[in-house]
Amino acid sequence: MSPAPVLQSVGGALPIVAVLLLLLAVVVVYKSVEIVNAYEKRALTVFGEYRKLLEPGINIVPPFVSKTYAFDMRTQTLDVPRQEAITRDNSPVTADAVVYIKVMDAKKAFLEVDNYKKAVSNLAQTTLRAVLGDMELDDTLNKRQEINAKIRKELDEPTDEWGIRVESVEVREVNPSKDVQQAMEQQTSAERKRRAMILEAQGERRSAIEQAQGEKQSDIVRAQGKKQSQILEAQGDAISTVLRAKSAESMGERAIIDKGMETLENIGQGESTTFVMPQELTSLVGRYGKHLSGGDVSDMAKANGESELDSLDFDSETRELLGLDDIEEILGQIDQEAEVDVEEMEQEAQAIKEGNDATNIRDPDEVIQEMDAEMDPSGSPVGGPGGDGTGGGSADGSSGGSADGEREPETETE
């Protein structure tokens, strides 16, 4: 073979080798450079031996003989599958949860545990079953925060050895069995019915008490009105009796005077010149002359300031006994007691309708105690027999006695 073809073959192989060397250099550089993301760290092993943790950024590693394992340093979420457990009171329940973890030491997470996510999930499952088994059914349904705290406490110690921190544990659902759910629904329905019946009974009781109070107030007002009516009627009867007595007395005096005048006329027609006149007739004639217009006696009575019809006037004692000066005051009391504030009643009714009657409706027990105290015989109930009897008796007895007692001394004096 001549040297020329050999040189040509060698010259043709050089570009291929150069290309291969360039490719090899590129691969070596690619394998020697490790880029780590900002939210992670990577464990480096060379020939299977742990060397170090690679920080975020560009890292140079031995090519072809090294291997890296990435660890996410952010908070991670692990779903705990639904677990079945038996509570302390032998009630089957199912529950699932979610666990929030964070890698605090990537070296421990790489060397101390295989697949830390799976390990934490399995540990959370067993811990959830254990915690539910130590509690009663009602506690598992009501004390979610306590369950979360217990699970987290049980997970803290083993996960610390793995370089993992359990940030939070949240139980999402705790469901009893279908039979237990039906029993709980029946219990809840019965409890609501019981509360509804109690509230209805309390409402009827309060309504009955309010109605009784209204009837009581109405009876009191009617009794007051009846009492005042009897007092006014008794006073009217007393005044009428006195007026009739005065009229009868005046008419009797006039009849005696007329009869005396007729007797004087008959005496004047007789032959005798001497007449004997009774003192009573003389007194009556003098009193009668006071009312004759144009007479001397009448003029003298007017000069002395005497009234012509004295028998028709009431003195102060008689007016006090009859209660003539207190009629307007009694009528005012009746009007005041019978006065009803319609606007206030409408406001109270509206408040009761809207359910804002806490200030208007009192405690039923307090109302009943107050009613019992008012029904006590030792107290003096309003409008009782003592009040009516006193008013009527004083009006009738006092007025009759005073009228008769006043007339007799006056007649004898005159």
Side-chain angles (χ1 to χ4, degrees):
M1 180 178 290
S2 61
V6 173
L7 293 174
Q8 289 180 353
S9 61
V10 172
L14 288 175
I16 297 173
V17 173
V19 171
L20 292 176
L21 291 176
L22 181 61
L23 292 175
L24 179 61
V26 170
V27 172
V28 170
V29 172
Y30 178 76
K31 290 292 185 179
S32 300
V33 176
E34 189 75 22
I35 299 176
V36 181
N37 295 322
Y39 55 85
E40 66 182 6
K41 290 184 178 181
R42 295 190 180 186
L44 174 64
T45 60
V46 178
F47 294 107
E49 181 184 0
Y50 172 80
R51 291 294 180 88
K52 64 178 180 177
L53 291 176
L54 301 180
E55 298 295 332
I58 299 176
N59 296 273
I60 304 300
V61 297
F64 305 111
V65 293
S66 62
K67 191 175 182 180
T68 60
Y69 301 88
F71 291 90
D72 195 334
M73 305 303 292
R74 296 172 296 182
T75 299
Q76 303 174 57
T77 303
L78 299 180
D79 288 329
V80 180
R82 185 174 296 273
Q83 302 296 312
E84 295 183 358
I86 303 296
T87 61
R88 190 167 59 185
D89 52 355
N90 298 324
S91 296
V93 295
T94 59
D96 61 346
V98 58
V99 181
Y100 298 91
I101 63 174
K102 187 173 183 179
V103 178
M104 304 303 296
D105 190 344
K107 180 179 179 180
K108 288 184 177 181
F110 175 69
L111 298 176
E112 300 296 335
V113 62
D114 179 21
N115 194 349
Y116 67 92
K117 291 184 179 180
K118 185 177 180 180
V120 173
S121 177
N122 292 334
L123 182 60
Q125 294 176 28
T126 57
T127 305
L128 176 60
R129 290 196 297 268
V131 171
L132 293 178
D134 291 338
M135 301 177 67
E136 295 184 357
L137 177 62
D138 293 339
D139 294 338
T140 60
L141 298 176
N142 299 328
K143 299 180 179 180
R144 295 289 183 88
Q145 297 297 329
E146 183 177 346
I147 297 175
N148 298 337
K150 287 183 177 180
I151 296 176
R152 181 179 177 181
K153 182 178 180 181
E154 294 293 332
L155 295 178
D156 278 341
E157 184 176 353
T159 55
D160 285 344
E161 297 178 358
W162 302 339
I164 308 298
R165 185 179 68 184
V166 179
E167 293 186 341
S168 178
V169 178
E170 296 293 336
V171 176
R172 288 186 291 195
E173 291 184 0
V174 177
N175 297 323
S177 63
K178 293 183 178 180
D179 295 337
V180 176
Q181 288 182 2
Q182 293 178 356
M184 292 173 63
E185 291 176 357
Q186 293 177 357
Q187 180 181 1
T188 303
S189 178
E191 180 68 19
R192 290 179 178 176
K193 290 181 180 179
R194 183 180 71 88
R195 291 181 180 180
M197 294 176 64
I198 292 175
L199 292 176
E200 184 178 359
Q202 290 180 350
E204 292 178 355
R205 176 190 179 192
R206 181 169 295 180
S207 176
I209 291 174
E210 293 296 329
Q211 184 178 0
Q213 283 185 337
E215 293 177 356
K216 170 190 169 185
Q217 296 295 335
S218 178
D219 293 340
I220 291 175
V221 172
R222 283 197 296 267
Q224 289 286 348
K226 185 177 180 181
K227 171 186 174 182
Q228 301 298 342
S229 176
Q230 290 177 354
I231 293 174
L232 294 177
E233 184 178 356
Q235 289 180 342
D237 292 342
I239 294 173
S240 177
T241 302
V242 174
L243 291 177
R244 286 196 298 268
K246 287 179 176 288
S247 178
E249 178 185 2
S250 178
M251 291 177 65
E253 291 179 355
R254 292 180 183 274
I256 294 173
I257 292 173
D258 292 341
K259 189 65 176 177
M261 297 302 291
E262 291 178 0
T263 304
L264 290 176
E265 183 180 356
N266 294 331
I267 292 174
Q269 294 177 359
E271 296 178 356
S272 176
T273 58
T274 303
F275 307 101
V276 179
M277 301 287 293
Q279 184 179 1
E280 291 80 2
L281 180 59
T282 305
S283 176
L284 289 176
V285 171
R287 292 177 59 186
Y288 180 72
K290 292 182 179 180
H291 309 295
L292 296 179
S293 61
D296 296 336
V297 180
S298 176
D299 295 338
M300 294 176 60
K302 290 181 180 181
N304 295 329
E306 297 179 358
S307 176
E308 293 184 357
L309 297 175
D310 294 338
S311 60
L312 297 179
D313 294 335
F314 298 106
D315 55 11
S316 59
E317 184 178 359
T318 304
R319 293 182 66 87
E320 181 179 359
L321 291 174
L322 294 178
L324 296 178
D325 298 331
D326 299 333
I327 293 179
E328 294 183 357
E329 181 180 356
I330 294 173
L331 293 176
Q333 293 178 357
I334 295 175
D335 295 338
Q336 183 178 3
E337 293 175 357
E339 184 178 358
V340 178
D341 192 347
V342 179
E343 184 177 358
E344 182 179 358
M345 293 179 63
E346 292 179 353
Q347 293 178 355
E348 292 179 357
Q350 183 66 22
I352 293 174
K353 181 179 180 181
E354 296 177 356
N356 300 326
D357 56 338
T359 58
N360 295 331
I361 297 180
R362 296 177 295 173
D363 186 9
D365 297 333
E366 181 182 353
V367 175
I368 293 176
Q369 293 178 0
E370 182 179 348
M371 293 175 65
D372 293 339
E374 292 179 355
M375 294 297 293
D376 189 2
S378 62
S380 56
V382 179
D388 295 340
T390 305
S394 63
D396 295 339
S398 301
S399 61
S402 63
D404 298 339
E406 287 292 335
R407 290 297 96 194
E408 291 300 332
E410 182 181 354
T411 306
E412 293 177 359
T413 303
E414 294 178 356

